[in-house]
Amino acid sequence: MNMFSRCGRIGILLLTVLTLGVCEHRAQVPLGFTALFNGVNLEGWRGGETHDPRVLASMSPADREAQLAKWNASLVALKNGQPHWRVEGGELINDGEGGYATTVKDYGDFELMLDWKITAGTDSGIYLRGVPQIQIWDSNMPDPKGHGYAKGSGGLWNNAKTSPGRDPLVKADRPIGEWNHFRVLMVGSRVSVWLNGVLVVDHAILENYYDAKQPVEKRRPILARGPIQLQTHGGETRWRNIVLREIDSEEACRILSTRGRSGFESVFNGRDLEGWAGAKEAVSVRDGGLVWEKGKGGVLYWNRDLTDFQARLLFKLPPAGNNGLAIRYSGTGNAAYDGMCELQILDQDYEKHRGPIDPRQQHGSVYGMIAAARGYQHPIGEWNFQEVTVTGPRIRVELNGTVILDGDVSKIDLTQVLQKKAHPGKDNAHGYFGFAGHNDPVEFKDILVKSL
């Protein structure tokens, strides 16, 4: 839906005001990219501000349209006879006031490139999926509050102070008044930023600013899709050559799989089940992967006892597919109860096929005990990347670059678990890692483990 259909006359006003006095400009768009800014007007953009995308989505249609109209009006509001946002010579210019230029379209995984230039004293930034922000600012400003201006631009400044990516790895800003270039790679919640060709953020998780004051166990990850916003305040910012390339699931898995592989050991050779024990008869090895046989169950596990560890793998589900990851499995019994736990591997649309389930049964959940966030799987028939980290009683699950669960099983009240079942293995300090099959042809490959 474009800006005209959303906002009617306000959209027409926005394009009209921003086109006055414009010189025709068409920057060359790299192969595979799409221009988000056409160099002429703000077609494809709307207004916005620091506002939780979940709240906007939850509004009634009438309230949402009213909010969008208000934001659009702030873009074209005049100061000294000019709108806060204008286009001149192929450059998008903001005077440091008004709302934020926000893409009408939402994006998932992407590569974004753009140029920016600021004046002295400017504080600006880029919101990813509506979440603040990749920081842009004058590194020479006085810093009485210790914000970190001198460290330069490019950091994920709204992350917690101790979080990776909060501050740039190095300072790579060019002098005030010169153009700077960003390249941004976003896969799931993981963000990498290059400023003027220098890596300043390396696969850091962009934290959900809107949940920052919630207790850790109640914080939600950022949404799987959302808009890109150009935020400015405090001084003039100029933008140009804003282009984006959407990333598909195959490339996303490849990017995530190659990140930080040091210390990981491949535990499946892609040819046979050497080194594995348990329900070997329930799986086949095909095309370098493990394929669970339809109608067969049981636990297949890597035959090495583990305490704290990380596991990485790719999985692919059929419709309503069901499997699980056995964590600190004892070698006998049911992985969900006799092991520390079973982490669900489940079609996130399972309920459409087979009926309602408890939230603690959905994909990534500690089965029956801790619910994972939902909505981060790739479509059925495509591969998904998953990483599991087990440290003491704590389990962290990252799906396709987004942390969907981070919980402590030692804090679980067993009187409140699903079906009130006993979990004799919940406090296992060690055990095996493997798969808990449930009769569906789920596929796994690229299985790696690292002891911690």
Side-chain angles (χ1 to χ4, degrees):
M1 182 182 295
N2 63 36
M3 186 158 52
F4 293 114
S5 58
R6 281 177 177 260
C7 305
R9 284 179 293 179
I10 289 181
I12 295 172
L13 175 63
L14 181 59
L15 292 185
T16 302
V17 171
L18 290 170
T19 306
L20 294 176
V22 169
C23 299
E24 185 71 14
H25 176 82
R26 289 286 189 274
Q28 187 171 357
V29 178
L31 184 65
F33 285 76
T34 299
L36 300 186
F37 169 52
N38 61 18
V40 177
N41 55 42
L42 271 185
E43 183 177 7
W45 296 77
R46 61 169 174 84
E49 61 182 25
T50 304
H51 190 277
D52 190 341
R54 287 183 171 92
V55 174
L56 183 65
S58 68
M59 291 180 178
S60 69
D63 287 345
R64 187 162 54 248
E65 289 299 315
Q67 181 65 77
L68 290 169
K70 179 181 178 181
W71 286 338
N72 284 338
S74 76
L75 293 188
V76 299
L78 300 180
K79 179 182 179 182
N80 300 324
Q82 288 187 320
H84 293 309
W85 291 84
R86 69 187 191 275
V87 177
E88 293 179 0
E91 297 172 12
L92 177 58
I93 306 169
N94 175 264
D95 62 7
E97 297 184 21
Y100 309 155
T102 304
T103 58
V104 171
K105 182 177 177 180
D106 291 338
Y107 296 95
D109 297 340
F110 59 82
E111 180 180 4
L112 171 71
M113 294 195 293
L114 56 80
D115 300 330
W116 55 271
K117 181 169 64 173
I118 59 175
T119 54
T122 295
D123 184 344
S124 183
I126 302 170
Y127 286 30
L128 304 178
R129 302 201 200 126
V131 177
Q133 79 182 350
I134 297 175
Q135 187 65 51
I136 296 172
W137 52 22
D138 176 1
S139 62
N140 298 312
M141 292 189 294
D143 194 7
K145 294 184 179 180
H147 289 318
Y149 300 147
K151 296 177 182 179
S153 302
L156 307 181
W157 193 80
N158 292 93
N159 276 9
K161 288 186 177 181
T162 57
S163 295
R166 199 267 189 180
D167 296 316
L169 297 171
V170 293
K171 182 180 176 182
D173 303 58
R174 291 176 180 153
I176 294 296
E178 293 186 14
W179 285 100
N180 293 268
H181 177 75
F182 269 149
R183 175 183 173 229
V184 179
L185 196 67
M186 185 171 197
V187 181
S189 300
R190 289 198 174 273
V191 177
S192 297
V193 182
W194 290 260
L195 174 55
N196 299 320
V198 178
L199 182 67
V200 295
V201 173
D202 188 9
H203 292 290
I205 294 287
L206 177 62
E207 297 168 4
N208 184 1
Y209 167 83
Y210 303 105
D211 277 12
K213 295 182 180 179
Q214 293 288 338
V216 172
E217 62 273 10
K218 292 186 177 181
R219 293 178 192 170
R220 300 163 296 178
I222 66 174
L223 289 171
R225 298 184 66 83
I228 292 165
Q229 295 177 274
L230 307 180
Q231 178 244 34
T232 66
H233 57 88
E236 180 187 277
T237 303
R238 293 179 178 241
W239 314 84
R240 69 181 185 186
N241 302 331
I242 308 170
V243 298
L244 180 142
R245 178 180 66 86
E246 296 190 74
I247 291 173
D248 62 20
S249 59
E250 181 179 355
E251 182 180 359
C253 287
R254 184 167 62 251
I255 290 169
L256 294 168
S257 296
T258 55
R259 174 188 62 85
R261 291 173 64 98
S262 177
F264 280 93
E265 175 184 358
S266 176
V267 300
F268 170 60
N269 62 25
R271 301 183 304 275
D272 54 40
L273 294 176
E274 180 183 358
W276 291 77
K280 292 184 177 183
E281 73 287 348
V283 298
S284 297
V285 178
R286 293 200 297 268
D287 300 323
L290 289 175
V291 183
W292 213 271
E293 296 291 343
K294 186 174 178 61
K296 294 186 178 181
V299 181
L300 176 74
Y301 59 93
W302 186 46
N303 199 13
R304 184 184 299 178
D305 193 64
L306 298 166
T307 50
D308 294 347
F309 67 95
Q310 278 187 321
R312 287 183 176 181
L313 53 88
L314 299 181
F315 70 88
K316 183 164 61 175
L317 287 160
N322 184 10
N323 203 284
L325 301 183
I327 305 298
R328 292 184 185 157
Y329 177 56
S330 63
T332 59
N334 188 313
Y337 307 107
D338 298 299
M340 179 182 181
C341 67
E342 176 185 339
L343 295 177
Q344 282 286 79
I345 300 287
L346 191 76
D347 175 5
Q348 67 181 7
D349 294 322
Y350 182 91
E351 292 166 303
K352 294 180 181 179
H353 303 277
R354 298 182 183 175
I357 58 174
D358 186 281
R360 294 166 294 179
Q361 293 175 290
Q362 62 200 23
H363 179 84
S365 296
V366 177
Y367 181 82
M369 292 190 278
I370 307 174
R374 187 172 186 169
Y376 297 90
Q377 277 185 13
H378 293 151
I380 289 298
E382 298 180 9
W383 288 101
N384 296 266
F385 170 87
Q386 185 152 305
E387 179 179 278
V388 176
T389 305
V390 182
T391 50
R394 194 159 202 93
I395 297 179
R396 184 176 186 266
V397 180
E398 179 180 324
L399 173 64
N400 296 323
T402 296
V403 177
I404 60 171
L405 180 142
D406 191 349
D408 186 335
V409 298
S410 69
K411 296 180 179 180
I412 298 302
D413 180 355
L414 290 179
T415 66
Q416 301 299 315
V417 300
L418 185 64
Q419 299 171 345
K420 302 293 191 294
K421 286 194 174 183
H423 287 260
K426 179 178 73 70
D427 298 318
N428 286 0
H430 62 91
Y432 301 107
F433 167 76
F435 304 100
H438 299 295
N439 307 312
D440 296 322
V442 181
E443 300 179 51
F444 300 94
K445 67 178 182 179
D446 298 347
I447 307 164
L448 307 176
V449 173
K450 175 169 70 173
S451 294
L452 299 178

